[in-house]
Amino acid sequence: MTSPQSDPTPHPPQGHTHAHTHSHGPAAPVSRHLRKVIAAVLIPFATAVVVGLIAFWPGGVPDHERTGVGFDRQTQDGKVVQVVKVDCADVNAAQVPPTGDTSTPSGREAVNEQEGECAKATVEVTSGDDKGRRFVEVVQPDAPRQLKEGQGVVVAYAPDAPRDLQYSVTDVNRKVPMALLAGIFALAVVLVGRMRGVMALVALAVSFAVLTLFILPAILQGSNPLVVAVIGASAIMLAALYMCHGVTARTSVAVIGTLISLLLIGLLGSLFIGWASLSGNTDDNTGLIKGLYPDIDMSGLLLAGVIIGSLGVLDDVTVTQTSAVWELHQADPEMGWKGLYRAGIRIGRDHIASVVNTLVLAYAGAALPLLLLFSIAQSSVGTVANSELVAEEIVRTLVGSIGLVASVPVTTVLAALVVSADRTGPGGAQAATAAPARTGRGRRRKTG
């Protein structure tokens, strides 16, 4: 009865402040010894990343002579100023007359080009040296992209073509809706995440900068895609995790777990991409890249894509597992590292199931048109899986998923060892959990 009155008056405020701090920050600060151990691992790693960035820094995309093929064309902005409906026979007079056979796609297209109603669009160039110049674009009735008056478009410029054929419409200008969508996304992140949301957007900008200023130009310069991807992904990982979650021991454990998982993905990817003889040169875009830059290792580029594509999901898994172990330790400070690991891995199993399914569906969604083509051809599952286009996605999905699955036990055991080894450190967990309840009751009795 007398103990609350005999306690020194500073104790209740200190106990209350300590509990409040833990509810908003790390579950328990680690000791100086453990901070030194973590720093001994991460400082050399971060130094190696910085040295790698400096050593492989490309200094810009190498110049080349434009081929005018695919994306490798000069483009300008344009605007459709007039659209007039005309008889297709008048604008397609030079084409071969249709046979009348509409049983094939080419036959139906030929008939439409002669008998349908086409759109004759007048387009004005709105940027570049030829700003104000106009040209005519004829749109067939079965074309997937129809033009309308006032619409913004992207026009390609072919300097070697005859003057009347130098400009053509290649795409629709989507800058305004894309910018608006990006603004809505940023606003939603900031409103919900507040300061963490702001830091997440900054980390996203850093990731994009590393990708566009370092990874892509360095690969085009002829550097090894795997080495460049590992350096770039490590830089993105360090920036994103520490900016979003703070420079803490908890974040450092997540960084180490992510690093180990990335190394596993790199090793498995390198083994199976080579074993399955995946060239990485499977479509028009990769063929164009190989034609423009013959020295690029396309299989290495494929592996680089696997590493970078897995990084975002890895961050989520490792941070979640580390936070779970920290909270478990805060709830039961007497639990040893084995108990923490068992409890943490039970949480991780649910995470594994959802994350692996997410990764598989993401890759399947990206390859959906290709899968439809195989379905139309009525190919067997074995035939589809053996084709290089699909085999690339299978290897990409399975290697990334193995890395994700491995990250759960790796990160969980690291976090369990760190927090359990710190139980007797300064300001230990026992005092942190016991003091608030007693001092809070004493405070209420004194103020009541």
Side-chain angles (χ1 to χ4, degrees):
M1 295 294 294
T2 59
S3 58
Q5 296 178 354
S6 61
D7 283 341
T9 53
H11 282 188
Q14 286 177 350
H16 177 75
T17 303
H18 191 76
H20 180 78
T21 301
H22 281 301
S23 66
H24 291 278
V30 299
S31 65
R32 181 176 299 179
H33 173 70
L34 279 178
R35 287 199 300 268
K36 288 181 178 180
V37 172
I38 294 172
V41 175
L42 289 178
I43 289 179
F45 169 62
T47 303
V49 171
V50 173
V51 172
L53 288 172
I54 296 173
F56 287 89
W57 191 261
V61 177
D63 294 330
H64 71 279
E65 186 177 349
R66 290 188 179 273
T67 63
V69 178
F71 289 103
D72 193 38
R73 292 180 286 186
Q74 299 181 40
T75 59
Q76 300 292 346
D77 292 334
K79 182 179 181 181
V80 180
V81 296
Q82 186 182 35
V83 177
V84 179
K85 294 295 183 179
V86 296
D87 190 350
C88 287
D90 295 336
V91 294
N92 295 325
Q95 305 225 357
V96 178
T99 61
D101 181 12
T102 60
S103 62
T104 63
S106 59
R108 289 191 294 270
E109 183 179 350
V111 171
N112 288 335
E113 288 178 353
Q114 294 296 321
E115 299 179 357
E117 189 178 48
C118 294
K120 189 176 181 180
T122 302
V123 183
E124 180 178 322
V125 181
T126 58
S127 65
D129 296 335
D130 288 334
K131 183 178 180 179
R133 179 174 167 181
R134 296 188 175 188
F135 64 95
V136 174
E137 182 88 4
V138 176
V139 183
Q140 304 297 331
D142 56 351
R145 180 179 60 247
Q146 298 294 319
L147 301 179
K148 56 186 178 181
E149 192 170 322
Q151 185 177 34
V153 293
V154 178
V155 298
Y157 176 58
D160 297 332
R163 179 173 173 82
D164 292 342
L165 302 176
Q166 285 182 331
Y167 281 98
S168 61
V169 176
T170 61
D171 208 345
V172 173
N173 192 327
R174 304 179 181 89
K175 293 179 182 177
V176 173
M178 298 294 285
L180 179 60
L181 181 60
I184 295 173
F185 163 72
L187 181 62
V189 170
V190 173
L191 287 178
V192 177
R194 298 187 181 181
M195 194 60 200
R196 289 208 173 202
V198 173
M199 296 308 297
L201 292 177
V202 174
L204 180 62
V206 172
S207 300
F208 185 75
V210 172
L211 183 64
T212 56
L213 299 179
F214 173 72
I215 295 178
L216 299 180
I219 291 175
L220 291 178
Q221 291 280 14
S223 299
N224 187 300
L226 175 58
V227 176
V228 170
V230 169
I231 295 172
S234 299
I236 291 173
M237 174 185 66
L238 290 171
L241 288 179
Y242 282 119
M243 291 180 72
C244 293
H245 304 286
V247 184
T248 63
R250 178 191 295 186
T251 307
S252 299
V253 171
V255 167
I256 296 173
T258 304
L259 174 61
I260 294 173
S261 303
L262 279 179
L263 291 175
L264 176 61
I265 290 173
L267 291 173
L268 287 176
S270 179
L271 172 62
F272 283 95
I273 287 174
W275 194 0
S277 300
L278 299 178
S279 66
N281 189 2
T282 53
D283 56 25
D284 293 340
N285 292 328
T286 54
L288 179 59
I289 293 171
K290 187 65 175 177
L292 294 174
Y293 300 96
D295 294 333
I296 291 181
D297 179 8
M298 299 304 293
S299 61
L301 186 63
L302 173 62
L303 180 56
V306 173
I307 293 173
I308 295 172
S310 303
L311 178 60
V313 189
L314 269 178
D315 288 352
D316 173 55
V317 172
T318 55
V319 168
T320 301
Q321 285 303 114
T322 305
S323 297
V325 173
W326 242 263
E327 294 302 324
L328 288 168
H329 175 67
Q330 186 72 354
D332 185 2
E334 298 298 327
M335 190 183 301
W337 76 268
K338 290 183 179 179
L340 288 170
Y341 174 78
R342 285 193 294 267
I345 205 67
R346 285 195 294 269
I347 298 172
R349 290 191 185 107
D350 291 334
H351 208 181
I352 287 173
S354 61
V355 166
V356 168
N357 194 43
T358 299
L359 194 61
V360 171
L361 291 179
Y363 285 131
L368 196 57
L370 176 65
L371 296 178
L372 282 175
L373 288 177
F374 281 110
S375 179
I376 293 171
Q378 297 182 346
S379 301
S380 65
V381 175
T383 302
V384 172
N386 189 65
S387 66
E388 185 169 3
L389 276 171
V390 177
E392 280 188 3
E393 300 303 324
I394 293 175
V395 170
R396 193 195 311 267
T397 301
L398 296 183
V399 167
S401 298
I402 291 171
L404 289 175
V405 171
S407 70
V408 172
V410 168
T411 308
T412 304
V413 73
L414 284 174
L417 288 171
V418 168
V419 293
S420 62
D422 196 56
R423 291 173 61 190
T424 57
Q430 291 88 343
T433 54
R438 288 196 295 268
T439 55
R441 287 195 298 269
R443 186 177 184 179
R444 282 195 296 270
R445 277 196 289 268
K446 291 173 72 173
T447 55

